[in-house]
Amino acid sequence: MANPSRLRATALTTSAVLLFAALTGCGGDSEDGDLTHQRLDWKDCPAPSEAEGGGSAPSPLPNGTEWECATMKAPLDWTKPKGDTIGIALIRARADGPADRRIGSLVFNFGGPGGSGVTTLPAFGPDYAALGTRYDLVSFDPRGVGRSAPVKCESDARLDVFFQQDATPDDGAERAELLRRTRQFNAACEKNSRKVLPHVRTTDAARDMDLMRQVLGDRKLHYFGISYGTELGGVYAHLFPRNVGRAVFDAVVDPTQNAEQGALGQAKGFQLALDNFAKDCTSKTTECPIGDTPQEVKERIAKLLADLEKKPIPGISPRELTQTAATNGIAQSLYSKDFWEYLTEGLEEAYDGDGKILMLLSDSMNGRSENGEYSNLAAANAAINCSDDKARYTVDYVQRRLPRFRAASELFGDYLAWGMISCTDWAVPGAADHPDVSARGSAPILVVGNTGDPATPYEGARKMVKALGKGVGVELTYKGQGHGAYDSKNKCVQRAVNDYLLDGKVPKAGLVCS
């Protein structure tokens, strides 16, 4: 939810890689120039690039399986398939079960848009060990992301300033400054990435996935999409319904919403998650260090943010914790119940004048590493969102909509409302009001919604099921907290997903796990 760029639905896995934490294989040219016939040259994976978030080369899985990397050639412009090409970075771990039990490749997209699958999959590979018995686990950097023709915008130093600015302006001067910086960011994207910007839409990435399916040698695309990855999967199913194999959508984007409706839904979702956090802290047998009642917890957080607007506190030197950075850090911690203890500790320290923990959480959301380098998460997120979303909101329009957003969330309403201007003056026109995911003729797609999800509210799962069409979407409800369900380790959810992906057993529609 990094502001002013609107993170439509960033998966926890993407941000957690950044918080806790050139491919050498190029596809061989096919003799006839048909990219579906290219051979991938799989080699040991290098350390992630700066655009992917940096760090060390991926470690083997606990069973000793090594990660392999390669680059697939894809058309820069899918309307000109014989024209210029770009490289799509891939990573895989070969199936470790009996060869005669191997199903094929299972392709993951972890969300964003803008998250690097090449760094995220190995970081969380052990969570999918059961699926690795029958599938090659595969992920990729979508076009515009990481090592795949990455979008470049501002320098690291300029991004530090960009993410510290006042993202909830209160008067005309502050509104003008927010708009000026947004336009400056967008102009930098156009200047530094002019060639690739028109070609990073979700429909382009979906076509890359179908090429990937063929190059990997699979008759059907078996797919696990998380967060924005559910939107990408839905668009793929719309374009290639007959090519869908076994597919799971987890932490589901509502495909019927435009950008404003999505932002408003997130305001409600993050407010719900904050309410649940406050209740959880004050319901424990031990004393909650940040308030005696849920209401007091929320009131103290609101006061902290108001105080930070007037006077920031020390963060990670030389940067200070501003109101924007603190709001961003709080939002990041609400993506997973596992992060709630860090939010409690971060708030407790901030009340004492130390903003390090909240700033670390904010940096994670923005793709900033400890050495001050940014991944291209924010740049790619803006490029993909603004290419997909047709709406272009003005400052006056946002001002008129503020009451609705404030009613949805006193804490996050203004923040998400003003994020809607992120595509103002974007160089490439947006494609549509919302994606088309109708997929008549597709194999069943398991759609998993989490009732406590802040970033992709639960209602989106049912909307996705309906939009996919009769006989395609199969809904599963998880009564839990956090962004996504499978990685919650809930046995009921994991059993249903594994039974479908491994054995083709479609669960009964309407299954509820808690």
Side-chain angles (χ1 to χ4, degrees):
M1 203 172 76
N3 239 357
S5 294
R6 180 176 57 84
L7 291 190
R8 178 185 295 145
T10 304
L12 164 67
T13 45
T14 298
S15 52
V17 168
L18 298 169
L19 180 60
F20 298 117
L23 291 178
T24 53
C26 291
D29 292 334
S30 63
E31 293 181 1
D32 61 2
D34 185 346
L35 292 176
T36 63
H37 295 163
Q38 64 185 290
R39 300 182 304 278
L40 297 178
D41 185 12
W42 294 99
K43 295 183 178 180
D44 292 341
C45 294
S49 67
E50 179 182 342
E52 290 175 310
S56 304
S59 301
L61 287 167
N63 64 7
T65 301
E66 298 279 355
W67 293 98
E68 302 173 319
C69 286
T71 301
M72 179 187 78
K73 288 185 177 181
L76 170 65
D77 183 347
W78 270 103
T79 67
K80 301 175 182 177
K82 300 291 186 181
D84 292 346
T85 62
I86 58 174
I88 304 296
L90 307 179
I91 190 167
R92 75 173 178 186
R94 301 294 294 271
D96 66 345
D100 62 350
R101 294 276 293 162
R102 179 182 177 276
I103 297 171
S105 302
L106 180 62
V107 176
F108 289 79
N109 180 280
F110 294 93
S116 166
V118 172
T119 58
T120 304
L121 180 58
F124 292 87
D127 294 346
Y128 305 102
L131 302 175
T133 60
R134 299 196 67 189
Y135 290 99
D136 295 346
L137 303 181
V138 176
S139 195
F140 63 107
D141 289 351
R143 54 175 58 216
V145 176
R147 290 186 187 265
S148 300
V151 174
K152 299 176 183 179
C153 296
E154 299 271 32
S155 67
D156 292 338
R158 294 286 285 271
L159 286 172
D160 272 346
V161 176
F162 183 71
F163 288 123
Q164 291 286 87
Q165 68 179 305
D166 186 349
T168 57
D170 299 313
D171 57 37
E174 290 182 354
R175 289 190 289 271
E177 179 64 8
L178 178 62
L179 183 60
R180 185 188 71 80
R181 290 191 182 276
T182 300
R183 285 172 167 165
Q184 178 179 287
F185 178 90
N186 292 353
C189 298
E190 181 182 11
K191 177 182 177 181
N192 296 320
S193 304
R194 184 173 286 107
K195 185 176 181 180
V196 72
L197 281 192
H199 308 295
V200 295
R201 291 190 171 112
T202 297
T203 50
D204 296 313
R207 295 185 186 281
D208 291 341
M209 287 205 304
D210 201 58
L211 175 62
M212 193 183 308
R213 171 190 66 79
Q214 297 171 77
V215 171
L216 292 170
D218 292 325
R219 190 174 63 87
K220 300 282 188 178
L221 178 75
H222 305 296
Y223 180 74
F224 200 134
I226 302 165
S227 196
Y228 161 78
T230 66
E231 180 177 324
L232 174 58
V235 170
Y236 178 88
H238 172 69
L239 294 174
F240 307 102
R242 301 293 179 182
N243 295 345
V244 175
R246 299 173 188 175
V248 174
F249 294 174
D250 186 6
V252 186
V253 171
D254 184 341
T256 69
Q257 293 182 332
N258 61 26
E260 178 184 354
Q261 292 165 336
L264 187 62
Q266 281 197 333
K268 296 175 181 176
F270 278 100
Q271 185 62 48
L272 174 63
L274 183 68
D275 293 344
N276 291 335
F277 159 76
K279 291 175 185 176
D280 179 78
C281 187
T282 55
S283 67
K284 298 180 187 288
T285 54
T286 56
E287 181 181 355
C288 177
I290 55 172
D292 294 330
T293 66
Q295 186 60 30
E296 184 181 2
V297 169
K298 291 183 286 186
E299 287 175 353
R300 291 192 71 197
I301 293 174
K303 184 179 186 304
L304 172 68
L305 295 177
D307 290 345
L308 289 173
E309 183 173 27
K310 300 173 186 174
K311 184 177 176 56
I313 61 175
I316 299 175
S317 183
R319 295 175 300 146
E320 293 182 316
L321 182 74
T322 62
Q323 181 194 52
T324 295
T327 306
N328 209 33
I330 293 167
Q332 166 71 330
S333 66
L334 296 175
Y335 272 79
S336 171
K337 193 172 182 178
D338 293 340
F339 279 18
W340 286 5
E341 62 180 293
Y342 302 115
L343 177 55
T344 300
E345 185 179 356
L347 289 169
E348 192 175 12
E349 292 194 2
Y351 295 143
D352 290 333
D354 184 349
K356 289 188 182 68
I357 292 178
L358 290 183
M359 179 152 275
L360 185 63
L361 288 162
S362 180
D363 285 348
S364 166
M365 179 78 88
N366 295 331
R368 189 186 195 273
S369 63
E370 292 183 5
N371 64 7
E373 294 179 346
Y374 284 86
S375 73
N376 88 314
L377 173 62
N381 180 267
I384 296 167
N385 278 337
C386 295
S387 294
D388 280 349
D389 294 338
K390 187 176 181 180
R392 297 290 184 260
Y393 300 106
T394 65
V395 168
D396 289 343
Y397 183 86
V398 172
Q399 280 189 272
R400 292 197 299 271
R401 308 305 284 177
L402 282 174
R404 290 191 67 197
F405 278 82
R406 289 169 178 165
S409 174
E410 180 182 353
L411 190 69
F412 299 108
D414 279 41
Y415 189 75
L416 283 158
W418 284 111
M420 292 196 300
I421 70 167
S422 61
C423 295
T424 299
D425 295 326
W426 190 256
V428 178
D433 290 324
H434 57 82
D436 190 344
V437 301
S438 57
R440 182 178 180 181
S442 167
I445 296 173
L446 182 57
V447 179
V448 186
N450 181 352
T451 58
D453 197 315
T456 51
Y458 168 68
E459 294 79 10
R462 188 155 296 170
K463 297 287 186 63
M464 176 67 81
V465 167
K466 185 175 181 180
L468 286 169
K470 187 175 181 180
V472 178
V474 178
E475 185 177 6
L476 185 158
T477 295
Y478 169 53
K479 292 185 175 180
Q481 302 298 326
H483 188 40
Y486 189 87
D487 278 345
S488 71
K489 309 298 191 298
N490 179 272
K491 291 183 179 179
C492 171
V493 172
Q494 292 193 336
R495 186 183 309 114
V497 171
N498 292 350
D499 283 351
Y500 181 45
L501 290 177
L502 295 174
D503 300 315
K505 298 178 181 177
V506 181
K508 182 180 178 181
L511 174 66
V512 177
C513 296
S514 58

